[in-house]
Amino acid sequence: MTKSVLLVGVGGQGTITASKLLTLGLLESGYDVKMNEIHGMSQRGGSVSSDVRYNDTGKVHSPVISLGGADILVSFEEMEALRWCDYVKPEGAIIVSTERIAGLPIMTGRMEYPEGIVDELKKVAKTVLAIDGPAEAEKIGNSRVTNVILLGVIVKYMGLENIDWHKIIRENIKPAFIDLNIKAFELGKTLLDR
Amino acid sequence: MRRLLTGNEAVARGVWEAGAGYAAAYPGTPSTEILENIAMYDKKDITAEWAPNEKVAVESSLGASMAGIRSFVSMKCVGVNASADPWMCMSYSGCNAGMVIAVADEPGQQSSGQTAQDNRTFFKFAKYPFFEPSDSQEAKDMVKEAFRISEASDTAVAVRLTTRVCHSKTIVELEDRQEYEPRNYERNPAKYVPVPGHSPALLEKVMSKADRLREYSENTPFNREEIYDTKIGIICSGVSYCYAKEVFGENASYLKIGFLNPIPMNKIRAFAQKVDKLYIIEETDPIIEDEVRLAGIPCHGKDVLPKTGELLPDVLREKILGVEIPKVDVDRGKILPRPPMLCSGCPHRGFFYELGKLKNVMVSSDIGCYTLAWGEPFHTGDAGICMGSSLSVGHGFKKGMDKKNGNTKVVSVLGDSTFLHTGVQSLMTAVYNNSDTVNVILDNRITAMTGQQENPSSGLTAQGDAAVETDIPALCRALGVKHIVTVNPNDLPAVRTALKEALAREGEGPSVIITRWPCVLKKLSQADKEEFPSLYADKYDIDKDKCIGCKQCLKVGCPAITFNSETKTAEINDDCKGCTVCCQVCPKQAMYIKEARA
């Protein structure tokens, strides 16, 4: 059966790195994998998304996730979770890092960052987990590992612990940051139980 | 070895595995990464070049093919328009060693915009056979097969990609590079010089090629049936095949079309007879559908499916199966737009801030990061039609204004790479036909919008070798421009003066302002470091006691500046690159250096 993981955020937040590690792990386990990303203007502060789809027994057809088709939506930014919420299955999960990144209308002072987003998300999916990603990351020493914390959450929720993720991290992360990222990954795995 | 590759990476791999020795391209989303990936292979195997534009890329590639080396070109959808001239004549001449051209269309216009043109229409018009892969494995396989067909049929062969194929990663089986024995070059003007004495015979040859290719089209495994349930039959091409399989699975039968022009009509007729109801699913235009209808085969296609945009699984479910798309009941007022914007430290910011203050000026813009300045907060960009168009649209606008005795002035803006793409001739007409236009070349030392590609004025080649730089001021002088000034765009008074002086001139023909400062994302070369020693030196912050909350600094539209509605003061975040544009607009000099460069 094909499973779908949707990662969203704002350009520069590391969504691509997280989805890359995820796909590499899935590939090594012999699953069929497809990943799609829209990143045309991502470096210029736009909304970015990355669809990861995998199947342990058969083939993945569409690289794009359908509306109401994601088992899990992982958002690296608060408002982006709401922008993409139509894609989550009602029985699925939304993991949102509550980091707020102002878009142009907010920066110019024309609009204010909306409140109450997490409450809106609770209307959408059975499981909603809001975490302060950068703060969690800071606890283990580096705010930039939010993406690997979120990878840990995905692995736990999707039941992918049989894959050797430490090996994937060791092979794809710069040596100086391997231990930090493994710590971040392990932390992510515990967050759903809080 | 199995690897997860994007379609673009897979095309590059296919070019390399096919033993090709020459590749050229101009960057353009979603095709850019193809040449970037080819450039990573050993230079001894393959030469990869950024051409100044797509026309040059196609012509250079033809030259390499004539010399006997397998050659390749890639481009975005509108690149076909810029290179239509050689495409058309080359279909008559054919080539020598295999030549393949990959074109990346954008049916959903997700990232690049401009047009959603379906270049399969062009391939038919220009008489090219083409392949249409649905995933990365096919992209690689089809590129290699395209080289073979190119040589077997003496014609360049196109490969039509779409954004989802280019940017989706799927599993690819890697193979070794085939060693290619270069072909001999034999002088043959009757083939390559399409004068009236040669052309009719060449056209005859094109037509007889089409007959042979028809046989190939009927027999190639790239046009294949998959028979399951026969109540619904689906003819599909490209990524539409993946979408159809996602929705219908084994509840339908498929005829997947991977090779076209000519169309395998016998195969289609046989398939149509096996199924009760026939659908044709293709992005974007009804290319296959029109031919099937012409052949008198009943089918559904654009009568039920949308004529624009992508035919994603959700679209097929709704339009063919009548399944309603689930919409969640949430407060959508909380979802604010997030338009792309100029980066913090972008050297275009200072220039557009000053330009936006001018009244009664028509701003003729172009294709690049600076296109974004049409919107909030600068509102500078009345037009931006296609590559290089700014200077010629501006020229014509001024001529039109003069004709009706209007007094609107013209400032035309384009980047260094866009100027060298097709802007040079536009400036030439402004000089030759004498218009009082202000022509601005935003020289950020790189091709920025597509993600930092070198160009003829940046000093390096696609494969990282030192290159002779096109001297832009000298080029403008050679065209005959009398007034040329180079300014630092972060220096607002200098920008203001340059614009004011240029706009004040009457009857002296076009002038040029060059803003020279590297893109904030550019990996700086030694030459950059020497030329711009004060580059992005310090990080700034705002003294809350001095800030009066006037929001003037927010008008520069910088991602590093936000307004704190509780303290009623502006704040600068860690993203500050020290361009100092905000410091120059603050009436209270509230900015101070938080962190000086060591």
Side-chain angles (χ1 to χ4, degrees):
Chain A
M1 171 125 179
T2 300
K3 302 274 187 185
S4 301
V5 179
L6 178 59
L7 299 101
V8 303
V10 175
Q13 279 194 302
T15 50
I16 305 281
T17 311
S19 46
K20 187 182 156 199
L21 291 173
L22 178 61
T23 52
L24 288 173
L26 295 164
L27 176 72
E28 200 159 296
S29 308
Y31 296 172
D32 190 23
V33 191
K34 287 188 178 180
M35 169 182 150
N36 177 260
E37 57 196 45
I38 293 292
H39 54 68
M41 298 221 193
S42 56
Q43 275 180 325
R44 288 146 201 99
S47 168
V48 292
S49 68
S50 174
D51 303 28
V52 176
R53 308 194 73 216
Y54 62 94
N55 192 323
D56 56 352
T57 50
K59 270 182 133 354
V60 177
H61 297 298
S62 169
V64 184
I65 298 173
S66 295
L67 290 162
D71 295 281
I72 181 170
L73 165 66
V74 180
S75 182
F76 286 53
E77 202 270 351
E78 194 173 315
M79 184 166 50
E80 290 308 310
L82 198 59
R83 191 186 310 282
W84 294 91
C85 73
D86 291 316
Y87 286 88
V88 193
K89 290 179 179 171
E91 69 275 20
I94 299 176
I95 314 299
V96 54
S97 169
T98 52
E99 183 175 8
R100 291 180 169 191
I101 298 176
L104 199 58
I106 299 170
M107 275 175 202
T108 56
R110 192 161 60 79
M111 290 177 173
E112 298 239 339
Y113 199 100
E115 297 295 334
I117 285 180
V118 174
D119 289 335
E120 291 298 318
L121 295 175
K122 286 179 180 157
K123 299 178 193 168
V124 181
K126 199 172 128 202
T127 309
V128 175
L129 173 68
I131 58 163
D132 184 342
E136 294 288 346
E138 206 61 65
K139 278 187 212 161
I140 49 170
N142 190 326
S143 66
R144 298 189 69 85
V145 293
T146 304
N147 52 5
V148 178
I149 294 179
L150 291 172
L151 176 68
V153 180
I154 297 169
V155 164
K156 176 79 181 181
Y157 181 81
M158 299 302 291
L160 294 168
E161 290 137 300
N162 56 323
I163 296 169
D164 188 350
W165 294 101
H166 289 197
K167 176 170 170 276
I168 300 294
I169 290 171
R170 278 196 299 273
E171 286 172 358
N172 293 283
I173 298 278
K174 280 190 193 145
F177 298 103
I178 289 172
D179 289 347
L180 180 71
N181 278 281
I182 286 178
K183 237 196 256 177
F185 175 75
E186 289 301 322
L187 171 68
K189 274 169 43 184
T190 66
L191 292 180
L192 279 162
D193 302 328
R194 273 198 198 160
Chain B
M1 193 169 52
R2 288 160 81 242
R3 289 274 301 278
L4 257 182
L5 299 183
T6 63
N8 283 346
E9 290 166 338
V11 168
R13 179 77 193 190
V15 171
W16 179 80
E17 286 182 6
Y22 180 85
Y26 181 80
T29 310
S31 72
T32 311
E33 301 85 1
I34 300 175
L35 194 99
E36 285 184 320
N37 278 282
I38 294 175
M40 290 176 197
Y41 290 105
D42 194 328
K43 273 183 274 188
K44 288 201 286 290
D45 287 346
I46 186 162
T47 298
E49 296 180 352
W50 291 123
N53 64 38
E54 293 86 350
K55 176 178 185 287
V56 172
V58 172
E59 291 157 352
S60 308
S61 185
L62 172 63
S65 160
M66 285 174 68
I69 296 294
R70 280 190 166 180
S71 69
F72 174 81
V73 190
S74 53
M75 63 187 69
K76 69 182 291 184
C77 63
V78 289
V80 170
N81 312 343
S83 58
D85 213 354
W87 276 91
M88 295 306 295
C89 294
M90 218 169 65
S91 76
Y92 283 42
S93 71
C95 51
N96 182 21
M99 178 170 171
V100 174
I101 313 181
V103 174
D105 285 351
E106 210 181 24
Q109 294 171 276
Q110 292 95 341
S111 41
S112 168
Q114 283 191 275
T115 75
Q117 67 193 69
D118 184 339
N119 276 304
R120 297 179 306 161
T121 305
F122 179 85
F123 302 150
K124 280 188 70 181
F125 170 55
K127 302 182 171 55
Y128 283 91
F130 62 92
F131 288 88
E132 226 188 324
S134 65
D135 63 15
S136 301
Q137 181 67 54
E138 277 192 351
K140 182 169 84 79
D141 294 345
M142 287 180 177
V143 163
K144 291 168 79 172
E145 177 73 351
F147 275 109
R148 198 182 68 77
I149 293 301
S150 169
E151 282 164 10
S153 307
D154 186 11
T155 175
V157 173
V159 176
R160 194 250 187 168
L161 308 164
T162 55
T163 313
R164 300 291 184 177
V165 175
C166 291
H167 286 171
S168 290
K169 284 190 177 183
T170 68
I171 296 172
V172 176
E173 192 68 49
L174 302 188
E175 292 162 284
D176 291 333
R177 178 172 161 98
Q178 310 161 1
E179 278 319 313
Y180 180 74
E181 184 64 39
R183 290 191 164 191
N184 289 330
Y185 169 64
E186 280 167 32
R187 198 173 159 270
N188 187 357
K191 177 169 157 66
Y192 292 109
V193 186
V195 291
H198 299 156
S199 285
L202 289 171
L203 183 56
E204 277 302 315
K205 205 178 76 181
V206 173
M207 293 309 175
S208 64
K209 269 184 230 172
D211 290 336
R212 269 180 285 137
L213 283 165
R214 188 165 290 114
E215 208 182 307
Y216 173 78
S217 185
E218 295 287 0
N219 295 309
T220 173
F222 288 113
N223 292 335
R224 67 161 199 270
E225 269 184 0
E226 289 177 31
I227 304 294
Y228 306 105
D229 193 307
T230 54
K231 279 194 276 305
I232 293 178
I234 295 172
I235 299 177
C236 48
S237 70
V239 74
S240 306
Y241 165 74
C242 304
Y243 300 154
K245 287 281 291 231
E246 179 77 25
V247 173
F248 297 95
E250 297 191 357
N251 298 319
S253 294
Y254 305 86
L255 176 57
K256 182 185 181 304
I257 304 284
F259 175 85
L260 264 186
N261 204 26
I263 194 164
M265 195 50 78
N266 294 338
K267 223 173 214 177
I268 288 174
R269 216 180 287 279
F271 178 73
Q273 276 165 4
K274 291 178 195 163
V275 300
D276 299 343
K277 197 170 184 183
L278 185 64
Y279 285 94
I280 296 174
I281 305 177
E282 55 187 326
E283 291 174 347
T284 304
D285 294 340
I287 307 289
I288 301 172
E289 184 182 336
D290 282 352
E291 295 217 34
V292 172
R293 284 185 194 279
L294 266 177
I297 300 168
C299 65
H300 291 286
K302 298 296 172 190
D303 53 335
V304 291
L305 293 168
K307 294 178 180 65
T308 60
E310 296 178 283
L311 302 180
L312 293 168
D314 286 325
V315 175
L316 301 183
R317 275 189 203 102
E318 187 191 341
K319 302 294 180 189
I320 296 179
L321 297 176
V323 175
E324 212 165 307
I325 307 294
K327 274 270 173 186
V328 188
D329 183 24
V330 291
D331 180 1
R332 286 170 202 274
K334 291 188 198 295
I335 307 169
L336 306 185
R338 196 183 288 285
M341 56 197 297
L342 300 178
C343 305
S344 58
C346 173
H348 299 331
R349 177 166 287 105
F351 173 78
F352 284 105
Y353 177 77
E354 286 301 325
L355 181 61
K357 293 199 299 194
L358 300 180
K359 301 276 181 283
N360 199 24
V361 166
M362 185 272 195
V363 178
S364 182
S365 190
D366 218 300
I367 311 296
C369 295
Y370 45 87
T371 313
L372 299 175
W374 74 267
E376 219 178 4
F378 308 110
H379 303 289
T380 49
D382 297 23
I385 298 297
C386 64
M387 291 292 288
S389 66
S390 56
L391 307 187
S392 26
V393 169
H395 165 74
F397 185 91
K398 188 69 175 67
K399 286 283 173 182
M401 265 297 145
D402 291 348
K403 219 28 147 215
K404 64 174 203 177
N405 297 317
N407 62 2
T408 304
K409 304 247 180 182
V410 174
V411 176
S412 306
V413 294
L414 82 180
D416 46 333
S417 188
T418 308
F419 177 61
L420 298 173
H421 181 279
T422 32
V424 177
Q425 292 89 339
S426 301
L427 184 58
M428 198 181 288
T429 201
V431 175
Y432 174 51
N433 294 305
N434 195 26
S435 61
D436 282 333
T437 47
V438 178
N439 301 277
V440 184
I441 301 166
L442 306 159
D443 182 4
N444 61 0
R445 316 298 303 123
I446 202 81
T447 310
M449 184 60 141
T450 42
Q452 311 292 307
Q453 290 77 33
E454 303 296 338
N455 68 47
S457 75
S458 73
L460 289 173
T461 67
Q463 287 176 308
D465 295 327
V468 174
E469 284 180 34
T470 299
D471 183 334
I472 292 177
L475 177 56
C476 295
R477 267 195 300 280
L479 292 174
V481 179
K482 287 197 208 79
H483 299 284
I484 302 166
V485 57
T486 301
V487 296
N488 168 0
N490 298 323
D491 180 348
L492 300 189
V495 171
R496 209 175 303 142
T497 306
L499 280 168
K500 198 176 150 200
E501 284 179 4
L503 285 164
R505 280 191 203 101
E506 290 281 353
E508 294 180 46
S511 61
V512 167
I513 299 172
I514 300 165
T515 67
R516 190 171 161 101
W517 197 265
C519 172
V520 67
L521 301 175
K522 188 181 179 191
K523 194 173 161 233
L524 300 174
S525 65
Q526 193 52 40
D528 291 326
K529 286 176 190 159
E530 283 163 21
E531 183 182 346
F532 307 98
S534 67
L535 207 56
Y536 306 119
D538 313 309
K539 276 190 191 301
Y540 285 78
D541 207 342
I542 292 174
D543 183 338
K544 289 183 181 37
D545 296 331
K546 284 189 187 167
C547 178
I548 55 170
C550 70
K551 296 188 179 175
Q552 195 60 34
C553 57
L554 298 177
K555 291 185 184 160
V556 305
C558 177
I561 308 177
T562 49
F563 194 75
N564 185 328
S565 50
E566 277 162 31
T567 62
K568 303 274 181 231
T569 57
E571 291 173 350
I572 297 182
N573 65 36
D574 214 37
D575 203 18
C576 175
K577 300 292 189 296
C579 74
T580 75
V581 168
C582 64
C583 309
Q584 296 170 68
V585 306
C586 176
K588 293 290 169 189
Q589 286 83 49
M591 283 78 177
Y592 66 93
I593 295 174
K594 179 175 74 172
E595 202 179 298
R597 192 169 63 163

